[in-house]
Amino acid sequence: MGRIQNMSKEREFICFFNSHRHWGGGEKWHAETILYLQDKKYSVFFCGRLGSALVKMLYSKVPSFYVQFTNVSFLNPFAYISLIKLFKKYRPHTIILCLPIDVKVAGLAAKIAGVPNIVYRRGSAIPIKNSLYNRFLFSRVITQVIANSQETARTILQNNPNLFPKQQIRVLYNGIQIPPVYSKKEHAIPVIAAAGRLEPQKNFDILIPLAQTLLARSYQFVIKIAGRGELADALHEKIKKQNLTDVIELVGFKNDIYDFFAESDMFVLPSLWEGFGFVLAEAMSQELPLVAFNVSSNPELIVEGENGYLVEHNNVEMFADRVCALLDSAELRSHMGRKGREKVIAEFSAEFSHAQTEKYVLELNKK
């Protein structure tokens, strides 16, 4: 397990629990929220998976406890026992959980330890199964739910409207630290940017027929995909097999995503679903027009025809039509880009999100 440093047992703590191994939107929300609340003098501590990206980032900054979770940790009684001891020792008034496995193990341990507020932060717009075990967790363990979008909130109750009280579900968007607009880099051929983990959900394979359609229409372009993941090698082989290496580039993980956006003319997101399309908000902040499928939370960020286009799910021809409209008009790209930045500043800034989260935490503290 792990250890907690420099913590007094006399204070009321907020525990953030996230056992995800890799970095993603949920981990970014956890990290920024934890550091914000700590900076505001709230007493916080963090529990995470040993060796995870989040633990590496937070361990020297926040009182931390690490766990060695697997997908079957809910079968390990020692996992429950150690966490029950931890929660009884430090008596957090709130625990905020990230993954389903966190709810099953840490949530139940927190319930046994008498933690008043057991909050499940749901970051995926996938309907929750109406299983007996989920009904138990949502009725007897979880006390509140945070959803990262209106769409995520909707899907929580999609399979069972009585699974959980709707009034106890709060939407708190992932806030974005909005930088100035980076200076655009000159390039002769238009750049279509895409970014995300290279995994099935992100559906990057569909950019191959998109590229073929654009070539058939005699457009010049290059599609640059930033990110890494389990499908990187397979995607590279598919691109190579279709002789598209000149127009589709896998550029790997970008430490500075805004620098990547500075060399781009538009941003496309072919995901099958998004809890909250954080990368869309990042692209909007850099005045890039957007094209994405009309699925899950995308309509909460893209206003059709204003800062981008929403396309029928997996409709390659329609996707190509919208990309071509943007390739044809620098003026349209500029107009949509400005509208996008205005929207992200007004609705998705980190300052606004943090203020809403702090207000939520204060409400929980009064329960």
Side-chain angles (χ1 to χ4, degrees):
M1 301 300 284
R3 63 197 181 101
I4 295 181
Q5 302 172 320
N6 303 322
M7 289 177 63
S8 164
K9 289 184 286 185
E10 303 303 318
R11 305 164 71 188
E12 286 192 314
F13 288 104
I14 306 165
C15 172
F16 288 81
F17 200 108
N18 185 333
S19 67
H20 200 272
R21 185 184 303 277
H22 303 294
W23 186 260
E27 289 62 54
K28 184 178 178 65
W29 181 87
H30 269 256
E32 292 183 352
T33 301
I34 290 167
L35 294 174
Y36 172 81
L37 291 175
Q38 181 173 257
D39 187 58
K40 297 284 284 188
K41 309 305 180 186
Y42 289 86
S43 303
V44 300
F45 70 96
F46 169 66
C47 295
R49 184 194 290 255
L50 180 63
S52 70
L54 201 48
V55 164
K56 290 176 182 177
M57 177 182 182
L58 292 176
Y59 189 72
S60 63
K61 301 175 183 178
V62 179
S64 300
F65 185 87
Y66 52 83
V67 298
Q68 299 187 51
F69 261 26
T70 68
N71 289 335
V72 294
S73 288
F74 66 96
L75 299 175
N76 180 2
F78 296 105
Y80 294 94
I81 291 168
S82 61
L83 289 173
I84 291 168
K85 288 180 179 179
L86 172 70
F87 299 145
K88 284 187 173 181
K89 181 177 182 179
Y90 291 102
R91 303 191 304 277
H93 71 76
T94 296
I95 180 170
I96 299 178
L97 306 155
C98 181
L99 302 179
I101 187 64
D102 301 342
V103 177
K104 291 177 182 178
V105 183
L108 187 55
K111 176 71 175 180
I112 295 170
V115 177
N117 300 303
I118 301 173
V119 184
Y120 176 28
R121 182 186 182 273
R122 180 79 176 169
S124 179
I126 302 174
I128 293 174
K129 293 180 181 179
N130 186 30
S131 66
L132 180 63
Y133 195 48
N134 279 339
R135 291 198 296 272
F136 165 75
L137 291 173
F138 278 86
S139 64
R140 300 300 181 89
V141 175
I142 299 166
T143 60
Q144 290 89 20
V145 174
I146 295 172
N148 67 342
S149 69
Q150 296 291 343
E151 176 64 10
T152 297
R154 185 189 68 80
T155 59
I156 290 169
L157 304 180
Q158 182 172 321
N159 288 333
N160 181 354
N162 300 314
L163 180 70
F164 194 74
K166 189 174 182 179
Q167 67 272 18
Q168 290 169 225
I169 301 173
R170 180 74 62 86
V171 174
L172 295 174
Y173 285 112
N174 293 9
I176 175 174
Q177 297 285 352
I178 301 174
V181 179
Y182 279 38
S183 297
K184 294 295 182 183
K185 298 177 182 179
E186 296 295 329
H187 45 268
I189 298 176
V191 175
I192 302 167
R197 297 185 302 277
L198 304 183
E199 59 182 35
Q201 174 203 345
K202 300 301 180 179
N203 196 29
F204 286 124
D205 283 5
I206 205 167
L207 298 182
I208 293 173
L210 173 66
Q212 292 169 326
T213 303
L214 295 177
L215 288 173
R217 298 183 186 186
S218 301
Y219 278 89
Q220 283 192 314
F221 65 94
V222 60
I223 298 173
K224 294 188 177 183
I225 305 172
R228 58 189 172 205
E230 61 188 80
L231 298 182
D233 291 341
L235 182 58
H236 176 74
E237 285 303 312
K238 290 177 182 178
I239 293 167
K240 185 177 178 181
K241 186 176 180 180
Q242 297 298 324
N243 297 314
L244 293 172
T245 53
D246 289 341
V247 294
I248 303 180
E249 299 179 15
L250 300 182
V251 299
F253 180 77
K254 292 291 184 179
N255 288 318
D256 189 342
I257 192 68
Y258 300 113
D259 189 58
F260 173 63
F261 290 149
E263 62 183 33
S264 308
D265 295 285
M266 70 184 76
F267 183 80
V268 299
L269 187 69
S271 299
L272 299 174
W273 74 87
E274 289 288 339
F276 176 79
F278 193 86
V279 71
L280 289 176
E282 291 177 319
M284 289 162 65
S285 79
Q286 294 303 295
E287 298 188 346
L288 289 182
L290 312 171
V291 183
F293 291 127
N294 188 8
V295 296
S296 57
S297 64
N298 288 349
E300 295 174 50
L301 292 110
I302 300 174
V303 179
E304 171 64 23
E306 184 171 306
N307 65 318
Y309 295 112
L310 292 164
V311 176
E312 180 182 294
H313 180 231
N314 274 350
N315 187 328
V316 175
E317 288 293 326
M318 187 177 179
F319 208 113
D321 289 343
R322 301 301 183 257
V323 169
C324 289
L326 292 170
L327 289 173
D328 286 338
S329 176
E331 183 179 353
L332 179 61
R333 296 196 300 268
S334 179
H335 171 77
M336 285 190 166
R338 289 195 302 272
K339 288 294 184 181
R341 183 170 172 87
E342 290 172 5
K343 182 175 177 65
V344 80
I345 289 172
E347 300 179 26
F348 304 114
S349 71
E351 291 78 10
F352 181 76
S353 175
H354 289 156
Q356 294 298 107
T357 302
E358 183 179 5
K359 179 180 177 182
Y360 179 72
V361 166
L362 287 172
E363 290 174 7
L364 294 180
N365 200 19
K366 295 175 182 178
K367 291 183 180 293

